[in-house]
């Protein structure tokens, strides 16, 4: 248990929080529940809806923030790479 403050100056850095456990759980449950076949028939063109849904569900389970801010997390390079998504633009 920490009883003393180790530093008096907090320095911001570029470290990010990455919920790999949540993401793996979403991936597994998505396959077990066969959501790919259910959602694939609703969207054929553009970005794969299954990849977007996995990213969105992972975001929502990670934090209880507004869904309007999901694009800030999903458009990170690390998240795009993990879900095999290409860079895309969000229009407000």
């Amino acid at each position: 248990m920490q009883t003393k403050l180790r530093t008096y100056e907090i320095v911001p850095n570029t470290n990010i929080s990455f919920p790999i456990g949540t993401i793996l759980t979403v991936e597994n449950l998505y396959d077990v529940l066969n959501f790919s076949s259910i959602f694939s028939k609703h969207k054929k063109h553009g970005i794969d809806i299954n990849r977007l849904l996995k990213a969105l569900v992972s975001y929502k389970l990670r934090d209880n923030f507004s869904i309007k801010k999901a694009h800030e997390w999903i458009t990170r390079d690390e998240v795009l790479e993990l879900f095999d998504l290409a860079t895309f633009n969000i229009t407000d």
Side-chain angles (χ1 to χ4, degrees):
M1 183 169 160
Q2 184 177 351
T3 58
K4 292 183 180 180
L5 187 61
R6 294 181 185 189
T7 182
Y8 292 101
E9 188 174 322
I10 298 174
V11 180
N13 59 37
T14 58
N15 295 342
I16 63 166
S17 149
F18 208 71
I20 195 68
T22 302
I23 291 169
L24 291 175
T25 301
V26 169
E27 292 274 345
N28 289 336
L29 288 176
Y30 208 86
D31 292 337
V32 168
L33 297 173
N34 200 22
F35 283 158
S36 292
S37 65
I38 295 169
F39 293 113
S40 292
K41 58 187 167 188
H42 296 290
K43 186 174 187 293
K44 303 279 186 213
H45 305 289
I47 300 172
D48 182 16
I49 193 168
N50 290 303
R51 293 181 199 157
L52 286 172
L53 286 171
K54 287 178 188 179
L56 187 61
V57 171
S58 296
Y59 165 78
K60 197 59 184 153
L61 289 175
R62 174 185 158 264
D63 288 319
N64 194 17
F65 294 133
S66 169
I67 207 70
K68 290 181 178 182
K69 296 195 180 258
H71 71 280
E72 293 173 6
W73 184 76
I74 292 175
T75 55
R76 288 180 171 175
D77 291 336
E78 301 84 9
V79 177
L80 291 172
E81 182 181 334
L82 184 67
F83 289 103
D84 195 25
L85 292 168
T87 304
F88 55 92
N89 294 329
I90 305 296
T91 56
D92 292 322

